[in-house]
Amino acid sequence: MNYAMIRYLLACVMGFEALFLFLPCLVSIIYQEETGWAFFVTLVLCSMLWFIGTRKKPKSKVFFAKEGFVAVALSWIALSVMGAIPFFLSREIPSFIDAFFEAVSGFSTTGASVLDDVSALSYTTIFWRSFTLWIGGMGVLVFMVAILPLSGSYNVLLMRAESPGPSVGKLVPKVRTTAKLLYEIYFCLTVIQIILLLLGGVPLFDALIISFGTAGTGGFGSKTGSLEEYSSYVQGVTIVFMILFGINFRVYYLILVKQWKQALRCEEMWYYLAIIAFAILVITVDIRSMFSSWTSAFHHSAFQVSSIITTTAYSTVDFDRWPSFSKELLIVLMFIGSCAGSTGGGIKVSRFAIIMKTFLKEMYQMIHPKGVRVIRFEGKKVEHNVLRSINTFFAGYILVFVISIILIGLNDFDLITNFTSVVAALNNIGAGLELVGPKGNFGDFSVIV
């Protein structure tokens, strides 16, 4: 284990967090809020940790998969601990456990909250809370790979450790260039959404907050009612960008280099869009009687389906009051999630597609024992190691899910609350049903579980 390299990477993460903390400090100056001192103190503390940790360069910059996973895990913990400090110091979130929960939820892009009234927070705190989603959306270590001159091909292990899909590939031969391209696409999509929201009459601050929540697919907002108070135009723009951020960023790269045919052959993207279209139509029919027109029902159905499958968890209505069929379908979408290589959470469309193809293959061979059928995805043969990794992922997922359900049961809440709270947390959604529905939060849960 290359401990020196892990220490160096953690120190670099602290340096980047210090840079990120400069923005909420600037917001506090603009709005003349006293809470800015808490963010400045944290900025200084992060800078000190960066200075101390990077003074001595590691003798060897070589690291492997285990270092990559350890570095990613410790980086997220360190980011969240330091990110929680300004919440706590400013006393806007008096309990450090609650502050840590909010920071973890932001950097992991889960979007779960323990706050009853978000609008009561200062502009500075609201900005940092939402900005953590944007930071976590693409992954801070991917950002490091793009910026730091890490030598060799070992930095691909950092990207693999943060990968949300069954496998990771490079867009171009150099990993660092790939990371830069990913962040350029991420940044440009965010800026385009901000501009479109501004054209809809949304104040700059609100446009930033909504765009951070959409890009990071975490759904933190500046208002307690999520996006209910905004116009249909704003909600419509958000629908489009939630779906866009749920698509594999490789598709955008292919479009940028004018490889249109290859981009349109992205199998996972078409599965993803087909699932969205099917869910929107079915739910629209199911909830029609709850709205004044088909248009209104379609609009809210499209918004909630896009929000849930991309794990953004913004809301325009209280979908906890929808018919059981619609709520059950939304729960299924929570599990499916968005595409691999996107900022969305969930199990991923690609994993479900490959598992379904594996199932059909096994059924085919039961009927035709001598038949030979190769599993293909995205035009390529699915290798055995990919199938093994997916099977391992599902086994681990189910194990963690079952244990979590049992532990959450200690709160003695109803089964739907317990079940959907675990679904929301494990799939990075942040909203479930009943007590953790769009009108609720995680504030009633005990400190331990």
Side-chain angles (χ1 to χ4, degrees):
M1 184 76 76
N2 191 342
Y3 294 104
M5 190 61 190
I6 293 173
R7 181 259 306 163
Y8 181 76
L9 288 172
L10 286 174
C12 290
V13 168
M14 290 297 96
F16 283 119
E17 185 157 21
L19 290 175
F20 295 143
L21 281 162
F22 175 77
L23 289 177
C25 290
L26 183 62
V27 172
S28 70
I29 294 173
I30 294 172
Y31 288 97
Q32 299 181 345
E33 294 179 330
E34 295 181 358
T35 52
W37 73 268
F39 292 87
F40 181 74
V41 168
T42 310
L43 184 155
V44 172
L45 181 57
C46 288
S47 300
M48 290 173 61
L49 291 173
W50 165 78
F51 179 75
I52 295 170
T54 56
R55 284 188 66 187
K56 185 178 180 182
K57 306 288 184 182
K59 294 180 180 179
S60 173
K61 291 187 178 181
V62 176
F63 57 96
F64 298 99
K66 59 182 178 181
E67 283 91 350
F69 284 110
V70 170
V72 168
L74 293 179
S75 294
W76 287 114
I77 294 172
L79 272 171
S80 300
V81 170
M82 301 306 296
I85 290 176
F87 292 148
F88 177 68
L89 289 181
S90 65
R91 309 309 292 171
E92 296 231 77
I93 305 180
S95 166
F96 184 78
I97 295 296
D98 289 347
F100 184 62
F101 182 99
E102 213 72 15
V104 169
S105 181
F107 284 115
S108 65
T109 71
T110 303
S113 181
V114 294
L115 304 175
D116 292 321
D117 187 7
V118 175
S119 57
L121 300 174
S122 64
Y123 285 102
T124 308
T125 299
I126 289 174
F127 180 88
W128 176 242
R129 181 173 173 265
S130 294
F131 191 50
T132 57
L133 290 175
W134 194 86
I135 296 169
M138 188 58 68
V140 71
L141 289 181
V142 176
F143 183 75
M144 283 175 55
V145 169
I147 301 299
L148 294 179
L150 297 175
S151 60
S153 60
Y154 306 104
N155 46 17
V156 73
L157 296 170
L158 291 177
M159 292 184 68
R160 285 178 180 170
E162 285 204 319
S163 168
S167 63
V168 174
K170 295 182 285 185
L171 301 181
V172 291
K174 292 185 178 180
V175 179
R176 189 180 177 191
T177 307
T178 295
K180 284 183 178 179
L181 285 170
L182 289 172
Y183 255 97
E184 286 171 4
I185 294 169
Y186 186 56
F187 180 80
C188 288
L189 282 174
T190 306
V191 171
I192 292 170
Q193 184 182 2
I194 292 171
I195 293 172
L196 289 175
L197 291 175
L198 290 174
L199 292 175
V202 179
L204 177 59
F205 183 82
D206 286 21
L208 288 170
I209 298 305
I210 294 171
S211 298
F212 289 158
T214 306
T217 61
F220 279 161
S222 59
K223 302 181 186 299
T224 304
S226 192
L227 298 192
E228 285 185 34
E229 299 177 28
Y230 294 95
S231 66
S232 296
Y233 170 81
V234 173
Q235 294 171 4
V237 169
T238 306
I239 290 172
V240 172
F241 279 87
M242 284 191 293
I243 294 173
L244 290 177
F245 279 109
I247 293 175
N248 192 324
F249 276 34
R250 181 174 177 270
V251 174
Y252 301 131
Y253 168 74
L254 292 173
I255 292 173
L256 287 173
V257 296
K258 298 181 180 179
Q259 295 183 17
W260 302 98
K261 290 183 179 180
Q262 197 171 345
L264 292 174
R265 288 174 185 167
C266 179
E267 190 176 348
E268 183 185 27
M269 179 185 70
W270 292 115
Y271 286 141
Y272 167 72
L273 295 176
I275 292 169
I276 291 175
F278 173 78
I280 290 174
L281 291 175
V282 171
I283 291 179
T284 298
V285 173
D286 193 43
I287 65 174
R288 167 62 186 91
S289 61
M290 302 182 67
F291 296 93
S292 58
S293 66
W294 281 101
T295 303
S296 180
F298 179 83
H299 172 79
H300 291 294
S301 173
F303 189 96
Q304 294 311 149
V305 167
S306 304
S307 178
I308 293 299
I309 196 170
T310 59
T311 69
T312 307
Y314 275 140
S315 63
T316 55
V317 292
D318 185 1
F319 57 81
D320 195 23
R321 296 184 178 181
W322 283 4
S324 295
F325 176 79
S326 293
K327 291 191 290 185
E328 289 165 3
L329 187 53
L330 289 178
I331 291 174
V332 172
L333 297 179
M334 291 180 185
F335 282 104
I336 295 174
S338 52
C339 300
S342 71
T343 61
I347 293 175
K348 302 299 180 186
V349 174
S350 55
R351 287 196 179 100
F352 275 105
I354 293 172
I355 284 293
M356 183 57 66
K357 289 189 175 190
T358 304
F359 171 76
L360 294 175
K361 176 194 171 184
E362 294 301 320
M363 292 295 292
Y364 175 82
Q365 291 192 315
M366 285 178 64
I367 300 171
H368 305 282
K370 295 183 180 180
V372 177
R373 197 169 185 177
V374 178
I375 300 173
R376 293 186 176 276
F377 189 71
E378 304 286 4
K380 300 177 182 178
K381 178 184 175 182
V382 179
E383 300 295 337
H384 175 71
N385 64 322
V386 175
L387 289 174
R388 184 179 61 185
S389 69
I390 291 175
N391 291 333
T392 303
F393 172 85
F394 270 100
Y397 183 95
I398 292 170
L399 180 63
V400 172
F401 188 84
V402 171
I403 294 174
S404 300
I405 286 285
I406 294 171
L407 290 176
I408 291 295
L410 296 174
N411 284 293
D412 200 28
F413 295 141
D414 63 276
L415 181 59
I416 294 178
T417 295
N418 292 342
F419 182 84
T420 57
S421 64
V422 173
V423 174
L426 201 54
N427 295 303
N428 292 99
I429 299 168
L433 300 174
E434 299 293 345
L435 295 180
V436 293
K439 296 296 183 180
N441 55 57
F442 286 74
D444 292 330
F445 285 71
S446 67
V447 173
I448 298 175
V449 293

